[in-house]
Amino acid sequence: MDKFKIKNYLQIFCFLALQGVYGQERMQLFYQSPAEKWTEALPIGNGSLGAMVYGTVSQEHIQFNEETLWRGKPHDYAHKGASKYLAEIRQLLADGKQIEAQELANKEFMSDPLRQIHYQPFGDLYMHFNGHENYTNYSRSLDLEKAISTVAYNVDEVAFKREVFSSYPDQVIAINITASQLKALNFEVWLDAIHEQKQVKSDKNSQTLEVKVKDGVLKGISTIKVKTDGIVSTENGKLKIINASTATIYLAAATNYIDFKDVSGQPSQIVTTTLKKVKNKKYKNLKKKHVKDYQSLYNRFQIDFTDNGKSALATSERIFEFWKKADDPQLIALYVQYARYLMISSSRPGTKPPTLQGLWNDKIKPPWFSSYTTNINLEMNYWAVEVANLSELHEPLFDFIKDVSQTGKIVAKEHYDANGWVVHHNVDIWRGAAPVNNANHGIWLSGGAWLSSHIWEHYLFTKDEKFLKDNYSLIKNAALFYTEFLMEDPKTGYLISTPSNSPEIGGMVAGPTMDHQIIRALFKSVVEASEILELDKEFSEKLQKMIPRIAPNKIGQFGQLQEWLEDKDNPESHHRHVSHLWSVYPGSEINYVETPELMKAAKQSLEYRGDNGTGWSLAWKVNFWARFKNGNRAYKLLGNLLSPAEIPDRKNKGGSYPNLFDAHPPFQIDGNFGAAAGIIEMLIQSHLETIELLPALPDALPNGSVSGVCARGGFELSFKWKNSALQEVEVVSKKGGICKLTYNNIDIVFDTKSGKKYNFDAKLQAK
Ligand code: FUC
């Protein structure tokens, strides 16, 4: 090769290497300075063990969580004998005496105790690097393609690099530090916690932290173990590493929580066994296994809105730039992949569902207890999981449903003297299912029904009959509760839900629209499931008779979809909850094909609510506007959602923190997941008979592609578009059967075989 060629190759190589470093074409979050706040730190997680990596140089801080460390103890929250007051509460509501009804409910009908309890932080790992105060060439990143957080910088001539990840196969957080010069790595590492009751013990190359929660029975144990080519000693309660060029720290953590009834676990044993297993593994191999495991989920789905060079900017800058001018299409793609990353990191088979903050919490008193609010937030966490090809990550929610079906059964009996199970507004790790806080919002009782829709949706996407059969009794018993609970309204003759709330607006009422929509959807799914599984004919017939008797959706005096039985909506209200539009999204009863008038009314209601809101509210609105096929409006809402959360003169709620965590504010993870679902909903919708491609493509995303996106019916699609027009489509059928595709008023119907691929051109002609 001549010299000229070598020089050229070198230039190309350097350019590519730089692209890697500066984030071009890579799905990564990256920054040129360390995190100063928690919402600038970068999250890692393996479903149960998570951490926030600050990337600070001379003193690194890694705050970590293990998902089962909560306050409280096994407890049945049902209010014994509450059902004696049900008839009176209902009568007071029927007589228009809302205040009296609420007073009676607050006295006799609420959860015992009234409030649930907090998810807890676990501990903090610190590393001190003496002499690293002055550094150059700093960068930190979170590689979404590998699930690894990296910090790199130079001190004088030495390049230092730290990699941190949480491994699902090995159940540890791994921290690897390297120096480019022999023996140049010298640092101290130690554990600490903000719990009042804590203890730290060191032993040769390891250190153990023990914590006990306040007001509760759970204790946690976490151990770090250091492997290095240097020397490890213990000094002043810290592990000191000197003369090294590389060091790896493995961190394991566990609690005595086994399930919501049993706290007899042995955390010390779990931690010891976990660390024993990784003891002789090379970091390189552990990392390889982690990446392989992670990519087996992550790589199934790709999304690209074309990079116009903005991905070369630091992520925090991108958020600012997007706020000024929303022309960074690839930031939207990054947002979707980040949500997928967060899902893979916080919801793995065998783990608990992500809380309001996912897996990540650094506060003893986190906002709203960092627990599970079921009137939107918990369900929103799972909106993207099926479409974004992470179906098995839905499992923690199904386990959760199994738990609450048990506690909810007791609540159904004690509060309503009914069979089946019921879940109200909020649930914690002890699976409280009774009405919490205050009757003016906590008595909403469609949590169980809404959660059940996830079982049905999982079936629709996967067509997995075994799954449906295994979980049928859950949805059946959820429905059973409502067959006994629904009451004939003396005024209208309809079956109504009373007492309840329209989430967090209007106090305690009889007959909120949302309840009727969700209950109808539940009944319909049980009817269909019983047909598919050929069982329970009698129960199905009962439901079929009840469905038309449930109070229907109604259009009110302002052209709005009524939120209540009575026509009393306030068109001036900009309340964050838009519960009565449940049947537009995530439900599908209200749609353009079957109910165009209701669709119009629902849209009118959304216009009245306006374009602002908390993070999750904005995310919900993105989905609504996608279903209303107004991509540009959905994109506008995305703009609000992606705007910097912490600008000094910020008037509206919502926004994104520098680490792209969604701001309620404060941080709540539902908006991340909900908005990702909304972005995908702009590209593909499958809630009706056909799979519609690009139903709500905004002008701002004229070119792009998506692959591995899932649709109901068991189909996986990949397609491209250019100048806002579809180019080509591939459909993979997972379970066979008829597939109907729609694009731009072209419809095609074709029969598919399981495992086969079908290709079409821009006019949906077979290729
Ligand atoms: C519901 C919402 C709030 C918040 C809380 C966790 O109560 O109305 O906005 O998201 O859940």
Side-chain angles (χ1 to χ4, degrees):
M1 216 185 298
D2 62 30
K3 265 192 189 161
F4 179 73
K5 266 191 182 159
I6 293 177
K7 202 174 148 207
N8 257 354
Y9 279 123
L10 263 177
Q11 262 176 4
I12 291 169
F13 176 78
C14 289
F15 176 71
L16 288 175
L18 271 177
Q19 279 195 333
V21 173
Y22 290 107
Q24 219 133 27
E25 294 293 346
R26 293 279 300 274
M27 282 295 171
Q28 66 170 353
L29 275 60
F30 101 104
Y31 307 83
Q32 283 157 322
S33 56
E36 285 176 12
K37 293 185 200 156
W38 192 81
T39 43
E40 291 171 17
L42 295 172
I44 54 160
N46 66 1
S48 55
L49 184 58
M52 298 292 286
V53 184
Y54 280 69
T56 30
V57 179
S58 67
Q59 181 143 315
E60 174 63 294
H61 180 193
I62 298 176
Q63 180 269 322
F64 63 96
N65 290 95
E66 197 282 336
E67 63 173 354
T68 60
L69 194 68
W70 290 61
R71 283 160 95 160
K73 56 177 192 260
H75 183 74
D76 170 17
Y77 285 92
H79 188 134
K80 305 282 174 293
S83 68
K84 279 188 282 183
Y85 300 90
L86 179 63
E88 199 180 336
I89 294 168
R90 284 178 156 172
Q91 192 55 51
L92 285 169
L93 281 177
D95 295 344
K97 295 179 177 163
Q98 188 196 47
I99 300 295
E100 288 88 335
Q102 277 176 192
E103 272 170 12
L104 180 59
N106 277 333
K107 205 160 147 242
E108 309 288 357
F109 205 77
M110 304 305 284
S111 176
D112 176 17
L114 194 56
R115 294 189 193 277
Q116 297 178 350
I117 46 85
H118 311 72
Y119 177 42
Q120 296 292 272
F122 200 120
D124 302 273
L125 180 145
Y126 294 99
M127 295 190 280
H128 185 74
F129 300 83
N130 217 1
H132 288 210
E133 289 74 26
N134 296 318
Y135 53 86
T136 53
N137 281 352
Y138 179 91
S139 74
R140 71 185 167 107
S141 64
L142 179 63
D143 184 346
L144 304 186
E145 293 169 11
K146 293 193 174 138
I148 295 176
S149 157
T150 303
V151 178
Y153 59 92
N154 288 12
V155 175
D156 301 326
E157 299 298 293
V158 188
F160 291 92
K161 190 175 168 194
R162 305 175 199 153
E163 288 183 335
V164 190
F165 60 84
S166 184
S167 159
Y168 180 68
D170 285 297
Q171 290 295 308
V172 289
I173 290 177
I175 304 161
N176 180 255
I177 311 152
T178 53
S180 62
Q181 243 175 48
L182 273 180
K183 302 196 176 183
L185 181 60
N186 300 288
F187 69 105
E188 291 167 322
V189 56
W190 69 98
L191 292 172
D192 201 352
I194 57 169
H195 293 277
E196 278 172 23
Q197 296 186 58
K198 62 179 173 192
Q199 218 183 6
V200 180
K201 281 186 210 149
S202 307
D203 175 26
K204 286 186 218 150
N205 63 348
S206 72
Q207 186 171 81
T208 296
L209 165 77
E210 272 188 54
V211 297
K212 186 170 178 313
V213 300
K214 201 175 171 187
D215 309 328
V217 295
L218 292 178
K219 51 182 193 291
I221 292 191
S222 171
T223 299
I224 48 170
K225 228 179 184 59
V226 182
K227 284 176 75 173
T228 176
D229 59 355
I231 300 163
V232 193
S233 60
T234 309
E235 217 175 277
N236 301 329
K238 294 172 181 169
L239 299 178
K240 190 169 181 175
I241 293 98
I242 56 164
N243 292 344
S245 58
T246 174
T248 303
I249 300 158
Y250 293 124
L251 180 150
T255 75
N256 52 321
Y257 179 92
I258 290 185
D259 61 38
F260 68 97
K261 291 179 268 192
D262 184 355
V263 290
S264 65
Q266 301 293 330
S268 161
Q269 239 172 50
I270 300 171
V271 166
T272 311
T273 319
T274 308
L275 288 174
K276 223 182 210 166
K277 283 191 198 150
V278 297
K279 200 171 126 202
N280 295 321
K281 285 190 184 162
K282 282 199 176 129
Y283 170 72
K284 195 176 82 187
N285 296 338
L286 198 121
K287 176 174 157 186
K288 215 170 171 186
K289 204 158 138 202
H290 159 72
V291 172
K292 193 171 169 216
D293 162 73
Y294 172 79
Q295 290 185 340
S296 70
L297 295 161
Y298 180 84
N299 285 354
R300 293 175 190 168
F301 172 104
Q302 305 296 335
I303 188 161
D304 185 4
F305 291 143
T306 58
D307 188 357
N308 60 4
K310 291 268 169 68
S311 68
L313 296 174
T315 309
S316 38
E317 265 177 70
R318 276 177 98 174
I319 298 171
F320 257 92
E321 290 289 314
F322 197 83
W323 172 50
K324 284 189 240 148
K325 193 164 186 274
D327 71 345
D328 181 359
Q330 201 64 345
L331 183 62
I332 307 289
L334 181 77
Y335 199 86
V336 174
Q337 290 294 33
Y338 188 46
R340 292 184 72 248
Y341 167 82
L342 292 172
M343 202 65 196
I344 301 171
S345 306
S346 63
S347 186
R348 292 291 197 106
T351 71
K352 308 281 168 280
T355 70
L356 288 168
Q357 300 189 177
L359 192 51
W360 302 279
N361 164 38
D362 66 336
K363 294 187 172 60
I364 294 287
K365 284 191 178 169
W368 292 288
F369 306 93
S370 186
S371 63
Y372 302 101
T373 310
T374 55
N375 69 12
I376 175 73
N377 318 88
L378 172 61
E379 292 88 349
M380 184 180 274
N381 282 357
Y382 283 92
W383 281 359
V385 84
E386 296 291 340
V387 280
N389 212 333
L390 295 171
S391 189
E392 67 269 55
L393 304 192
H394 224 149
E395 266 178 43
L397 190 69
F398 305 140
D399 293 340
F400 179 96
I401 297 173
K402 277 173 206 142
D403 287 356
V404 286
S405 72
Q406 295 175 49
T407 50
K409 190 174 171 189
I410 303 171
V411 175
K413 260 279 161 270
E414 290 293 344
H415 289 246
Y416 303 96
D417 193 21
N419 294 298
W421 60 279
V422 61
V423 173
H424 294 81
H425 170 97
N426 218 76
V427 180
D428 58 16
I429 194 128
W430 312 111
R431 303 308 185 225
V436 292
N437 304 348
N438 190 311
N440 68 11
H441 69 276
I443 228 161
W444 176 79
L445 81 174
S446 297
W450 191 342
L451 287 166
S452 298
S453 75
H454 282 254
I455 291 175
W456 180 240
E457 285 287 321
H458 181 75
Y459 167 73
L460 292 180
F461 274 92
T462 59
K463 290 273 155 178
D464 181 347
E465 274 189 29
K466 181 172 179 314
F467 168 82
L468 188 62
K469 197 167 174 202
D470 291 347
N471 290 279
Y472 174 76
S473 71
L474 289 172
I475 59 172
K476 179 205 165 151
N477 286 313
L480 177 64
F481 168 77
Y482 296 102
T483 61
E484 296 181 18
F485 162 78
L486 287 175
M487 188 190 116
E488 194 174 282
D489 178 24
K491 288 190 205 114
T492 61
Y494 288 127
L495 292 178
I496 59 164
S497 163
T498 175
S500 188
N501 311 105
S502 191
E504 303 185 42
I505 175 168
M508 194 165 84
V509 293
T513 300
M514 178 193 232
D515 282 4
H516 303 144
Q517 295 177 345
I518 298 180
I519 295 166
R520 241 188 330 263
L522 170 67
F523 282 11
K524 286 181 185 166
S525 66
V526 175
V527 169
E528 276 192 59
S530 83
E531 253 166 55
I532 295 162
L533 302 171
E534 297 179 2
L535 43 85
D536 257 353
K537 204 158 172 254
E538 219 175 285
F539 185 64
S540 162
E541 276 165 8
K542 181 177 181 174
L543 296 180
Q544 288 177 60
K545 280 196 194 122
M546 287 182 84
I547 291 169
R549 294 182 58 213
I550 299 173
N553 294 304
K554 282 172 87 178
I555 300 171
Q557 56 182 317
F558 304 108
Q560 91 283 13
L561 185 74
Q562 283 180 209
E563 183 160 359
W564 292 278
L565 213 49
E566 306 84 17
D567 188 1
K568 60 179 187 184
D569 296 63
N570 172 8
E572 313 265 288
S573 168
H574 295 148
H575 199 279
R576 61 194 179 282
H577 283 270
V578 208
S579 307
H580 49 315
L581 267 56
W582 189 92
S583 278
V584 176
Y585 188 96
S588 57
E589 178 186 64
I590 299 180
N591 59 67
Y592 277 130
V593 177
E594 293 153 326
T595 56
E597 287 304 310
L598 289 175
M599 199 67 167
K600 197 170 146 206
K603 197 149 101 181
Q604 185 60 61
S605 289
L606 191 59
E607 288 286 5
Y608 288 138
R609 282 290 213 265
D611 288 346
N612 292 318
T614 57
W616 61 257
S617 178
L618 295 172
W620 201 353
K621 289 172 184 174
V622 173
N623 286 279
F624 287 139
W625 284 115
R627 288 265 166 110
F628 291 136
K629 300 198 183 179
N630 188 337
N632 288 340
R633 190 71 173 266
Y635 193 79
K636 182 185 171 212
L637 269 297
L638 268 180
N640 295 352
L641 195 116
L642 263 159
S643 59
E646 289 172 322
I647 37 177
D649 56 347
R650 191 175 178 101
K651 288 188 190 74
N652 300 323
K653 293 200 166 225
S656 295
Y657 293 105
N659 64 0
L660 269 184
F661 269 175
D662 175 64
H664 179 287
F667 162 52
Q668 231 175 256
I669 206 162
D670 38 23
N672 285 94
F673 295 129
I679 295 162
I680 298 172
E681 204 65 23
M682 294 173 179
L683 308 179
I684 181 167
Q685 294 178 13
S686 65
H687 56 293
L688 300 175
E689 281 282 282
T690 90
I691 300 171
E692 187 166 0
L693 302 174
L694 304 179
L697 188 70
D699 295 338
L701 303 175
N703 304 310
S705 67
V706 62
S707 68
V709 66
C710 295
R712 291 170 187 83
F715 300 106
E716 202 176 298
L717 290 95
S718 301
F719 52 94
K720 288 188 182 140
W721 62 99
K722 203 172 153 189
N723 301 325
S724 302
L726 188 72
Q727 296 293 294
E728 52 192 82
V729 191
E730 179 185 280
V731 180
V732 177
S733 171
K734 289 190 270 192
K735 293 279 166 158
I738 300 289
C739 181
K740 296 181 187 173
L741 276 189
T742 298
Y743 169 67
N744 212 7
N745 298 325
I746 313 169
D747 291 304
I748 55 161
V749 182
F750 55 105
D751 201 359
T752 69
K753 285 211 172 63
S754 168
K756 285 236 167 231
K757 275 186 192 160
Y758 302 85
N759 292 288
F760 304 93
D761 65 13
K763 294 197 168 139
L764 295 191
Q765 312 243 330
K767 286 216 296 191

